[in-house]
Amino acid sequence: MSTHTAQRHPQPLRPLPAGRVKFTDAFWSRYRDLVREVVIPYQYEALHDRVPDAEPSHAIANFEIAAGRKQGEFHGFVFQDTDVAKWLEAVGYSLMTHPDPELERLADDVIDLIAEAQGEDGYLNTYFTIKEPDKRWTNLADCHELYTAGHLIEAACAYYEATGKRKVLDVACRLADCIDRVFGPNEGQLRGYDGHEEIELALVKLYRVTGEERYLRLAAFFVDERGREPNFLREEWEKRGRINFFLKRPAPINLEYHQAHRPVREQTDAVGHAVRAMYLYAAMADLAAENGDESLLEACRRLWRSTTRKRMYVTGGVGSTHHLEAFTTDYDLPNDTAYAESCASIGLIMFAKRMLQIEAKGEYGDVMERALYNTVLAGMSQDGKRYFYVNPLEVWPEACRSNPGKHHVKPVRQRWFGCACCPPNIARLIASLGGYVYDVDAESGIVYTHLYIGGEARLNVGKEGGGHDGGTVFVRQETNYPWDGAVMLTVTPEAGGLSAFTLALRLPGWSRTSEIAVNGERIAPEVRDGYAYIRRDWQPGDTVELKLDMTIRLLAARPEVRADAGRVAIQRGPLVYCLESADNTGGPLSALAIDTQTPLTATYDAQLLGGCVVIEGRAFREGARDWADALYLPLEEEDGARCEEPAAFRAIPYYLWGNRGEGEMAVWVRYR
């Protein structure tokens, strides 16, 4: 394999519209249909407080009050508006691939409501409009004003790109213009930034949609200002008497929690609230690409390494403690108290994709895939109506109820949450997933394939070195991924268009070997940093076959990950597996030890949880010993004294756990 450095794109690769990729494979088509047919309508009802036995959202009601349609008080979190925004963004992405006049009508009604709630100066935030209109922009550390604005801007961009309707985009532009008047380096402006990052990446999106460079400059201002001295968040905290908005009393301010402890270009470790960190890093990557900012890019690389090589779970989860929903220190990755918020893994996917648009490195695609197929999918039940906020790697239900340190861990998914950031976030990611499969480098004439999802894509490929549109190329993927490692791509250049270009395929790091054939003839293409580059003069109907190694792998964690010492995790393809008590009866999962000397088998079970590959093997179970009422006994050294008995075990994909009622679950298992 070549050891060349990663392919660096001469110009930033702009995200492909999600609507250019349509899924046809059984796995992701099901999820996309679930989001469109179940999740979006269900969440619409939840936002309107019409889901029985679910915590009320109040989100739409708040907009109705702010718009003057009805009287009442604000309810919910200070950032409650974002649930509506993320729902609207998911609608936009869904409409790109599946036009739906009735859904569009519902969305237009919500947009009308949002527009009515907007102030004459462009300000839009139902909490401050209803409850504290005189305290706008006075507590950016706690109150999420710019975070809330960012989600509305993202929603507006998606809906405009889907429908061409400008109403919500105009709302977003007026809001961004309001923010641009308030914040900046000039006299009379606030040299500040939000405690919860999001506005930064949203402004880059708005710049890309409108071409208005003021929005890009404002995004750069927010990123560059963060952590500088004198520290804005500290000064603001002092001015308000050190009062914490949520505690309603004086409390210390933790600048690391906000990633504001030092300027972003000087940060070396992923710290603080994990979702905030991922949104910040994604925005930094956007700006590094747009502005050719090498120092910002180098900071992104450092923070990527810290996140993924020292502070990430094997499932692609990030954020190891429920206290402040945050990172802790290197290799501190407890399983039974893990936080690993669904939103944080979504943010990690966003960060990874943006790094891929700067430089083609397989590790970015590998992490994007790991987080997607494991933590993100685990966040939603198979019926689309229940959700995990927290994604642990080990669950003992009784301890979750009885141990205050584990109360954040839920053994079953919830219908909704008072703080419901995760459900609509999952919906918007799945609805937009078509935009994560490919990238096109028009300058170099390269089509990058990052994810293997059966479907059809319509891509514009530039002539090598020319930088202009060279015509349309149709790419069709056929695969049974993630159950099978065989992928076939059929390439059809548009008649009269460009035919000479490079197709680059990601070779996942989990695959020990890979085979590539073009039109049935095996080839050995150039491989650089996890991508295979196939350069040729393509003819209509040319096929590329990729075969990945789906051997079951037992993974060990490095010794510093103390929670996983003496344990292994099971992975096959992109999927991490877990054991559930539903399949492994006869005692606690902690009594099992996998027999590593006996081969493991993978079998597709069409009847289990909608169909999945299960992994089975031999294990040893402790427990035959007569413990009576003793809590501890000596470990005798004679053969057989440990009283281990042979047992079979079954593992299922981690993303499917918790769909069969309450029970134990474990990803990391002892072995012999």
Side-chain angles (χ1 to χ4, degrees), residues 248-311:
K248 307 302 181 186
R249 59 176 170 78
I253 186 168
N254 183 341
L255 296 177
E256 280 197 355
Y257 171 74
H258 302 286
Q259 296 80 41
H261 55 298
R262 62 182 63 170
V264 297
R265 286 173 173 77
E266 298 175 15
Q267 295 186 24
T268 57
D269 298 317
V271 298
H273 187 272
V275 178
R276 298 171 198 236
M278 294 303 105
Y279 285 0
L280 171 63
Y281 304 161
M284 289 167 60
D286 270 339
L287 290 165
E290 290 290 348
N291 297 328
D293 191 326
E294 288 294 328
S295 66
L296 201 56
L297 176 57
E298 186 52 41
C300 288
R301 292 185 181 122
R302 288 196 306 271
L303 294 166
W304 173 269
R305 291 193 293 270
S306 172
T307 300
T308 62
R309 300 183 189 180
K310 299 178 181 179
R311 302 186 176 191

Side-chain angles (χ1 to χ4, degrees), residues 399-467:
C400 296
R401 286 187 288 270
S402 304
N403 184 341
K406 296 182 180 180
H407 279 180
H408 62 287
V409 175
K410 305 300 180 187
V412 293
R413 293 172 179 83
Q414 310 297 295
R415 287 187 180 275
W416 202 250
F417 306 92
C419 174
C421 54
C422 294
N425 219 354
I426 294 170
R428 71 167 180 153
L429 177 69
I430 292 175
S432 67
L433 190 59
Y436 289 80
V437 179
Y438 300 98
D439 272 316
V440 176
D441 184 343
E443 282 290 319
S444 301
I446 303 175
V447 174
Y448 289 94
T449 307
H450 305 307
L451 297 176
Y452 296 110
I453 298 176
E456 298 177 349
R458 179 172 54 85
L459 309 172
N460 290 328
V461 183
K463 293 182 179 179
E464 187 161 351

Side-chain angles (χ1 to χ4, degrees), residues 503-575:
L503 181 65
L505 306 179
R506 181 176 63 89
L507 305 179
W510 49 258
S511 180
R512 290 190 180 93
T513 61
S514 60
E515 296 180 8
I516 298 175
V518 175
N519 295 330
E521 182 178 345
R522 188 169 176 178
I523 64 170
E526 179 186 8
V527 175
R528 295 200 305 273
D529 210 0
Y531 280 81
Y533 292 82
I534 307 169
R535 172 73 179 175
R536 63 183 278 112
D537 190 355
W538 299 90
Q539 302 302 312
D542 278 352
T543 61
V544 178
E545 295 174 83
L546 172 65
K547 293 184 179 178
L548 300 172
D549 178 13
M550 300 292 283
T551 301
I552 301 167
R553 303 179 71 173
L554 295 178
L555 305 180
R558 61 184 295 153
E560 291 92 336
V561 185
R562 290 156 176 81
D564 300 333
R567 299 183 180 190
V568 291
I570 304 169
Q571 181 170 342
R572 181 179 183 271
L575 298 176

